[in-house]
Amino acid sequence: MASTTTFFLYLIFLLCSTLNFIPLEAPPPDFSTKVTYDPDSDLYIASYSIGTPPQNVLAFVDTASDVIWTNSKTAFKSASSTTYAALPCDDKSFCQKLNQKTCKIRSNQNCTYKIKYSDQASTSGVISQDKFSFDAKVDVGILKFGYATDTSPNYFEGKDINGCLGLSGITPFSFISQLGIKKFSHCFVKTSSKSTTMYFGSKAVITAKDSIPLVDTKYYYVKLNGISVGNTIVNLTNQPGRIYVDTGATYSRLKKAVYDPFLKLIKEEVVKPVAKSPHDFLEFCFKATKAEVDNLPKVTFQFADNKVNVSFVNGVTYLEFDGGVWCLAIIRSTDSESLLGNFQLANLNVGYDIGGKLISFTNMNC
């Protein structure tokens, strides 16, 4: 029996060699990271380590960013890591795909990058690689990231935020694509005194009954079918189209064709004294008590051919200012895209099933 088994295994080996069989890579390990709200930047901050020995990094989580980066001035020091390396320009697997136009292919030139965000914040530096580890000292391996030598604005220089964990699905740059992660989830709370856990892998919290098809897994787009305020549906001339999840943006934004009729209905439903807006981008403000705001009609986004509805509590629909002034915290987009920002995602468990091309939104006391 033993000799027959050995011969059979030998045949399999010969067959695999002939067909140039390449075994499938093992899935990445399950891991997690603590996430905390930073009131200075209105971003959610994850904690992890880079290098050998490990150096702690605090980075904002951004589902619409492609690249991981960390600040060389305030967080990670490459000279202190024995596993650090800068990528050369002739690196075809990463650098040439990221920086084809500006990176001249010379063996002695490092691969550089520059990112400019929609709010005009920016970061630039050298594409590098090093070991990454997460909660419970889980080593996830060598990852490529931006070693930032210049950042703007000032909150990128602070002790509370010194990098970005790019969680888009863009290949090969993002954290998700580099590790081949198929599932992750987060549940934000808008207080700096409490952390929640972001899960990667099989422990990600994804609710089947609340799942919506992803129409794009590079960025997390879903089809928005409609919007209602209380029992009244926003009168839209055309379908509202796609909307994507952007944890790196504070407020949700709706494109003009959707926002104008939405704002009109909000003003009809919220019968309160109009107040002066403290910021130009907040177009509708009013005076009310917290109890009155809690009793206002709720805003609901309708997805998946109206099979899945996500109702936002009024605490994330309206933003409170001094003197009993409240402002609508869903704002007008400055381009043709609509997005779900992190203010509205508070106390929603968001589960990303990339392999199944699904995303779930579940109201939860995070």
Side-chain angles (χ1 to χ4, degrees), residues 149-165:
T149 54
D150 185 50
T151 57
S152 173
N154 291 335
Y155 63 71
F156 281 168
E157 303 280 351
K159 62 181 177 63
D160 297 324
I161 176 171
N162 38 57
C164 172
L165 188 62

Side-chain angles (χ1 to χ4, degrees), residues 16 20-26:
C16 292
N20 294 318
F21 173 77
I22 300 173
L24 294 175
E25 292 184 7

Side-chain angles (χ1 to χ4, degrees), residues 29-309:
D30 288 345
F31 61 95
S32 61
T33 180
K34 296 295 183 184
V35 177
T36 308
Y37 172 67
D38 175 41
D40 292 333
S41 62
D42 281 323
L43 294 169
Y44 286 87
I45 312 303
S47 175
Y48 52 90
S49 298
I50 305 177
T52 308
Q55 300 174 47
N56 191 53
V57 170
L58 299 173
F60 69 94
V61 295
D62 192 349
T63 53
S65 276
D66 306 339
V67 177
I68 313 162
W69 62 265
T70 190
N71 196 321
S72 65
K73 299 175 184 176
T74 60
F76 176 71
K77 304 297 180 184
S78 61
S80 301
S81 175
T82 59
T83 46
Y84 171 86
L87 260 64
C89 264
D90 60 4
D91 176 82
K92 294 181 180 179
S93 66
F94 198 95
C95 186
Q96 285 299 301
K97 294 178 180 179
L98 175 72
N99 202 1
Q100 292 178 343
K101 293 182 179 179
T102 59
C103 193
K104 297 177 182 178
I105 303 176
R106 298 174 185 168
S107 59
N108 62 344
Q109 185 180 4
N110 288 334
C111 179
T112 60
Y113 80 97
K114 184 171 183 178
I115 298 171
K116 191 171 185 179
Y117 295 97
S118 59
D119 62 357
Q120 305 308 306
S122 65
T123 169
S124 60
V126 177
I127 294 294
S128 307
Q129 63 180 27
D130 210 332
K131 289 177 65 175
F132 277 61
S133 55
F134 284 76
D135 281 0
K137 298 181 180 178
V138 177
D139 182 352
V140 300
I142 299 286
L143 297 180
K144 297 175 176 65
F145 66 100
Y147 186 51
T149 54
D150 185 50
T151 57
S152 173
N154 291 335
Y155 63 71
F156 281 168
E157 303 280 351
K159 62 181 177 63
D160 297 324
I161 176 171
N162 38 57
C164 172
L165 188 62
L167 297 176
S168 79
I170 293 293
T171 303
F173 313 122
S174 78
F175 179 76
I176 298 298
S177 66
Q178 287 192 58
L179 282 176
I181 292 169
K182 299 302 181 186
K183 294 181 179 181
F184 69 99
S185 66
H186 56 75
C187 201
F188 296 150
V189 289
K190 206 167 186 65
T191 173
S192 58
S193 62
K194 180 183 177 182
S195 295
T196 57
T197 303
M198 175 177 273
Y199 295 100
F200 298 89
S202 65
K203 293 183 180 179
V205 181
I206 300 168
T207 310
K209 69 179 180 63
D210 298 326
S211 291
I212 304 163
L214 284 167
V215 296
D216 188 336
T217 55
K218 293 178 180 178
Y219 299 104
Y220 304 108
Y221 280 95
V222 293
K223 182 182 177 183
L224 179 63
N225 293 104
I227 304 173
S228 61
V229 182
N231 295 321
T232 308
I233 298 173
V234 176
N235 184 17
L236 299 172
T237 304
N238 298 305
Q239 284 290 316
R242 307 190 308 173
I243 188 169
Y244 67 95
V245 180
D246 186 353
T247 59
T250 303
Y251 305 113
S252 295
R253 304 172 192 172
L254 298 174
K255 59 185 181 182
K256 177 179 171 55
V258 179
Y259 194 77
D260 284 344
F262 168 68
L263 181 60
K264 180 176 182 293
L265 181 57
I266 285 283
K267 290 179 177 180
E268 292 171 358
E269 293 289 330
V270 180
V271 186
K272 300 293 178 186
V274 175
K276 183 180 179 181
S277 174
H279 301 286
D280 290 342
F281 66 88
L282 299 172
E283 297 187 32
F284 176 57
C285 300
F286 56 92
K287 297 203 72 171
T289 65
K290 186 178 184 305
E292 289 173 327
V293 171
D294 287 342
N295 289 322
L296 290 174
K298 287 184 173 58
V299 172
T300 300
F301 283 10
Q302 293 142 3
F303 300 102
D305 296 327
N306 300 326
K307 295 175 183 176
V308 176
N309 296 331

